[in-house]
């Protein structure tokens, strides 16, 4: 099933993942599926992801029309049915009917190799998004929910999950301005629709290269860039280049301000603020952070400032080390500049530990890594992977593989499509996409979740399997953490299934997996040289873990700067340019100087998907660190802790307050100071290596 992608050591007894691929397992799987009454008809038809309509680009229009017809029926049902649990179930059905099309289209618009599919999916995303914004200001629809939440007798009959989902749907109405008069509601819809367009323009512009006349660049570095006639195309920062002039040129040219994109960002931020104040919030940040672990912008800034204070000495030492390293390169500019950070950090690590990814890669074939994940999940959670044979037309690329995630007693939990290999026109990014959320259907059958993991791994070549660097292994484990959250977050309602939870909690399961990916006890179970079968030496893992601490305070400080910039952009209006704000935040929170005539914010694509929430990476890492130390450091294979992890954190999706889930896992309520201390402790001690 996995072809060359999962070649493992020729000396190992099995060249495939455990418990997968043979006829006996296949037939047992069919019997099991029949027993739990899972309908496979949607996944067995031709068309992308088994959706019959999606055998061609025009199918998106058909799927969209079908979803809108279903939505119309469900809106009528919600508005006419007496208040009760069925009200929430109908709302969830409505959400599901739209999300099943929109989420799928959201993935296809970036990943499909056929431009016609991508364009059709993009149009569908805009259309469905517009419908959602209109529904969020539908007074009659909202009134049906108010009738439920205002009826104490009926509320008393609802379970806690149903009540929370009802409150979350009401929150969606409130932040869309349902309480406003008709004129203001219409304004809110118009702003949301306008924002959809601005998001598209900004994201597209943030990825575009900048061009310059090649005569401007010294001749000896032109070959480092793409040349188009008399123009040189700069499509990235070239941060790892050993040539200082290349790094400097790339930084200044790639980040040179684009006037139209600056105006787009200004308009985007202004629209967000106008929308937030229109519906009753002080700022967009206040609106975005409601329901998160942090709850308010003030808490986020307290977190970032306290972390900056605690890291101050370490950060200064890191930049001092970089300066010393730069002197060794015979530079003409002895000061450490922003384009030096990544390169000098790497150079220091290489000098201190001689970390060469090519030494590690032979031990990390993709097949071995998937075996390792399979074994880990089996021991921790009682789940394993089983290869599935896709139907014709189900995949968008022939190198995509489909896995069923199976629990040892509960049966099939869901499906993961593994789009792991690099290819032309595929975004060079690692992502988890929800294609279909899990939910309990009216007929009592659980709708199984479907997700895609998209990575950028080297494909197998000849007799050589796909070999991963340590960072690729970490990314694979990270994204698989998201996937298992989606599989095990088996909530009654799809609106809160899996990763559909607050952003500052959603990254916890994925970051936690990074700790497992760096623990020798875990790695030793699967890391074998693909040719000789030799196990990965423990000292290589120890050196790798030690190297990650080098300049880690400066790296963290850079993330703090990004998070602080994001908060200020989405706070109260500053009445100055985004570049002036960038300059001030860089001076306050980074430590390296701003470079004139640059606009890094125009490459900050996270401003769209993570607006006012970029801090989530740091806060989630703090929680993951605490969970690792307290629950898994002593025994990374503990089934007791694995079951507790599923029960307290993974199972609820977004149906429970994030702080309560963390509290249940840690058996205490952590403070901001606890979060900061966890991150600082991570930088000072090697918590990821074997005890």
């Amino acid at each position: 099933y996995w072809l060359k992608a999962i070649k493992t050591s020729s000396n190992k007894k099995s060249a495939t993942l455990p418990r997968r691929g043979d006829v006996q397992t296949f037939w047992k799987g069919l019997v099991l599926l029949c027993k739990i009454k899972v309908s496979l008809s949607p996944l067995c038809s031709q068309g992308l992801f088994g959706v019959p309509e999606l055998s061609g680009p025009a199918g998106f229009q058909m799927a969209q029309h079908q979803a809108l017809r279903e939505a119309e029926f469900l809106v009528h049902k919600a508005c006419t049915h007496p208040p009760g649990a069925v009200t929430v179930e109908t709302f969830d059905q409505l959400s599901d009917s739209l999300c099943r099309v929109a989420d799928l289209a959201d993935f296809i618009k970036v990943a499909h190799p056929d431009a016609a599919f991508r364009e059709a999916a993009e149009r569908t995303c805009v259309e469905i998004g517009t419908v959602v914004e209109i529904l969020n200001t539908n007074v009659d629809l909202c009134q049906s929910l108010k009738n439920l939440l205002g009826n104490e007798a009926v509320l008393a009959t609802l379970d806690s999950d149903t009540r929370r989902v009802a409150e979350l749907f009401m929150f969606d109405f409130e932040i869309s301005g349902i309480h406003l008069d008709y004129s203001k509601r219409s304004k809110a819809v118009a702003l949301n629709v306008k924002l959809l367009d601005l998001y598209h323009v900004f994201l597209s512009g943030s990825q575009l290269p900048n061009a310059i006349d090649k005569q401007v660049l010294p001749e000896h570095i032109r070959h480092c860039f793409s040349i188009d006639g008399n123009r040189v195309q700069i499509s990235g920062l070239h941060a790892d280049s050993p040539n200082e002039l290349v790094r400097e040129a790339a930084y200044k040219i790639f980040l040179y301000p684009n006037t139209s994109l600056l105006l787009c960002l200004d308009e985007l931020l202004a629209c967000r603020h106008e929308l937030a104040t229109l519906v009753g919030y002080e700022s967009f940040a206040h609106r975005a952070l409601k329901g998160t672990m942090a709850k308010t912008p003030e808490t986020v800034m307290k977190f970032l400032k306290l972390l900056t204070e605690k890291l101050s000495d370490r950060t200064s030492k890191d930049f001092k080390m970089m300066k010393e390293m730069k002197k060794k390169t015979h530079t003409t500019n002895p000061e450490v500049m922003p384009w030096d950070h990544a390169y000098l950090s790497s150079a220091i690590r290489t000098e201190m530990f001689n970390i060469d990814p090519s030494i590690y890669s032979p031990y990390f074939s993709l097949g071995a890594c998937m075996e390792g994940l399979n074994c880990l999940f089996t021991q921790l959670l009682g789940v394993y992977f089983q290869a599935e044979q896709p139907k014709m037309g189900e995949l968008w690329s022939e190198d995509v593989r489909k896995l069923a995630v199976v629990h040892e007693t509960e049966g099939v939990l869901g499906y993961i499509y593994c789009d792991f290999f690099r290819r032309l026109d595929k975004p060079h990014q690692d992502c988890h996409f929800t294609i279909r959320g899990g939910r309990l259907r009216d007929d009592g059958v659980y709708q199984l979740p479907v997700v895609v993991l998209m990575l950028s791994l080297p494909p197998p070549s000849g007799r050589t399997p796909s070999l991963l660097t340590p960072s690729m292994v970490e990314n694979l484990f990270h994204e698989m953490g998201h996937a298992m959250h989606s599989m095990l977050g088996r909530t009654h309602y799809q609106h809160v299934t899996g990763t559909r939870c607050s952003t500052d909690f959603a990254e916890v399961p994925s970051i936690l997996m990074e700790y497992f990916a760096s623990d020798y006890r875990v790695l030793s179970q699967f890391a074998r040289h693909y040719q000789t079968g030799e196990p990965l030496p423990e000292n290589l893992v120890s050196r790798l873990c030690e190297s990650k601490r080098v300049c880690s305070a400066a790296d963290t400080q850079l993330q703090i700067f990004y998070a602080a910039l994001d908060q200020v952009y989405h706070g109260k209006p500053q009445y100055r340019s985004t570049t002036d704000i960038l300059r001030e935040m860089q001076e306050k929170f980074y430590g390296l100087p701003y470079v004139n005539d640059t606009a890094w914010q125009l490459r900050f694509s996270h401003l769209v998907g993570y607006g006012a929430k970029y801090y989530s990476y740091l806060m989630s890492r703090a929680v993951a660190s605490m969970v690792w130390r307290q629950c898994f450091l002593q025994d990374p294979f503990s089934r007791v802790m694995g079951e507790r992890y599923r029960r307290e954190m993974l199972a609820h999706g977004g149906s429970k307050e994030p702080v309560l889930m963390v509290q249940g896992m840690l058996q205490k309520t952590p403070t901001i100071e606890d979060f900061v201390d966890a991150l600082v402790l991570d930088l000072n001690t090697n918590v990821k290596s074997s005890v």
Side-chain angles (χ1 to χ4, degrees), residues 314-570:
R314 275 287 309 274
T315 303
S316 296
K317 290 178 182 177
D318 286 353
F319 284 130
K320 184 178 180 180
M321 278 199 301
M322 290 184 201
K323 190 169 184 177
E324 291 300 316
M325 175 57 70
K326 192 170 184 181
K327 288 179 181 177
K328 298 178 182 179
T329 65
H330 308 292
T331 177
T332 56
N333 179 6
E335 297 302 316
V336 178
M337 300 300 290
W339 54 79
D340 294 323
H341 184 143
Y343 172 74
L344 294 177
S345 296
S346 177
I348 295 169
R349 293 185 187 103
T350 299
E351 182 178 80
M352 294 177 66
F353 298 99
N354 191 29
I355 300 298
D356 181 356
S358 66
I359 296 175
Y360 292 83
S361 293
Y363 297 94
F364 292 131
S365 69
L366 177 57
C369 293
M370 292 300 291
E371 262 193 72
L373 283 163
N374 200 48
C375 292
L376 177 62
F377 291 144
T378 300
Q379 293 175 81
L380 275 180
L381 301 162
V383 302
Y384 59 91
F385 300 141
Q386 182 171 287
E388 292 283 311
Q389 183 66 47
K391 299 297 180 181
M392 184 184 299
E394 188 177 338
L395 307 179
W396 52 99
S397 179
E398 63 180 10
D399 59 2
V400 175
R401 299 292 176 261
K402 181 183 178 183
L403 294 180
V405 178
V406 187
H407 189 273
E408 57 193 19
T409 60
E410 299 170 30
V412 178
L413 300 178
Y415 298 95
I416 303 173
Y417 288 82
C418 301
D419 187 354
F420 284 169
F421 301 119
R422 300 167 187 157
R423 64 175 176 269
L424 195 64
D425 291 333
K426 178 182 174 182
H428 189 73
Q429 58 190 58
D430 298 339
C431 298
H432 162 275
F433 291 86
T434 296
I435 303 301
R436 185 178 71 193
R439 62 182 288 268
L440 188 63
R441 299 192 329 221
D442 288 345
D443 58 5
V445 174
Y446 197 80
Q447 174 176 290
L448 299 180
V450 176
V451 305
V452 174
L453 293 190
M454 187 168 75
L455 303 177
S456 299
L457 304 181
S461 175
R463 294 186 176 183
T464 304
S466 176
L467 300 178
L468 281 59
T469 65
S471 63
M472 290 175 184
V473 174
E474 187 173 275
N475 289 348
L476 172 63
F477 273 62
H478 178 103
E479 298 304 332
M480 197 59 76
H482 283 309
M484 297 311 294
H485 195 185
S486 292
M487 297 297 109
L488 293 167
R490 290 173 69 83
T491 54
H492 186 111
Y493 302 101
Q494 73 83 36
H495 191 63
V496 291
T497 188
T499 57
R500 288 176 177 163
C501 54
S502 75
T503 308
D504 54 6
F505 180 81
E507 292 295 329
V508 173
S510 54
I511 293 175
L512 179 61
M513 285 300 298
E514 295 177 19
Y515 289 85
F516 287 96
S518 295
D519 190 289
Y520 183 72
R521 293 163 298 180
V522 175
L523 296 177
S524 64
Q525 287 207 333
F526 67 88
R528 299 282 189 280
H529 196 286
Y530 79 101
Q531 291 176 315
T532 66
E534 175 196 0
L536 176 67
E538 185 172 2
N539 72 302
L540 286 183
V541 179
S542 298
R543 283 166 51 198
L544 182 64
C545 292
E546 286 291 331
S547 73
K548 290 180 180 180
R549 293 170 51 202
V550 175
C551 296
S552 56
D555 294 342
T556 301
Q557 197 61 51
L558 180 60
Q559 294 301 310
I560 294 171
F561 158 51
Y562 295 160
L565 180 67
D566 175 43
Q567 285 299 305
V568 175
Y569 277 167
H570 291 101

Side-chain angles (χ1 to χ4, degrees), residues 6 73 146 215 219 367 372 408 411 503 564 582 586 621 623:
I6 60 163
F73 166 76
K146 282 185 176 180
Q215 300 302 323
E219 187 174 356
E408 57 193 19
T503 308
L582 172 76
Q586 188 162 335
R621 182 166 294 281
V623 173

Side-chain angles (χ1 to χ4, degrees), residues 256-300:
Y256 190 79
N258 178 307
T259 303
S260 63
L261 206 57
L262 283 170
L263 292 173
C264 174
L265 178 57
D266 286 341
E267 193 170 8
L268 188 158
L269 296 175
C271 281
R272 279 180 165 175
H273 182 73
E274 184 179 0
L275 179 61
T277 55
L278 184 65
V279 299
Y281 290 89
E282 289 181 52
S283 68
F284 182 81
H286 285 87
R287 176 182 183 262
L289 295 179
K290 186 172 181 180
T292 63
M293 281 197 293
K295 298 188 184 303
T296 69
E298 291 76 18
T299 300
V300 173

Side-chain angles (χ1 to χ4, degrees), residues 161 164 293 381 481-491 496-513 515-516 616 619-632 640-668 670 675:
D161 284 1
R164 173 161 169 81
M293 281 197 293
L381 301 162
H482 283 309
M484 297 311 294
H485 195 185
S486 292
M487 297 297 109
L488 293 167
R490 290 173 69 83
T491 54
V496 291
T497 188
T499 57
R500 288 176 177 163
C501 54
S502 75
T503 308
D504 54 6
F505 180 81
E507 292 295 329
V508 173
S510 54
I511 293 175
L512 179 61
M513 285 300 298
Y515 289 85
F516 287 96
S616 296
M619 192 165 283
S620 289
R621 182 166 294 281
V623 173
S625 173
M626 295 170 76
V627 171
W628 171 258
R629 284 179 179 280
Q630 185 171 317
C631 305
F632 296 109
V640 172
M641 285 301 173
E643 292 294 345
R644 181 162 127 192
Y645 176 49
R646 179 184 181 183
R647 183 178 64 252
E648 297 293 347
M649 297 188 79
L650 297 180
H652 303 287
S655 66
K656 192 173 182 180
E657 286 279 352
V659 170
L660 296 179
M661 290 189 276
V662 175
Q663 180 181 324
M665 188 67 195
L666 298 177
Q667 299 184 340
K668 72 170 188 176
F675 291 154

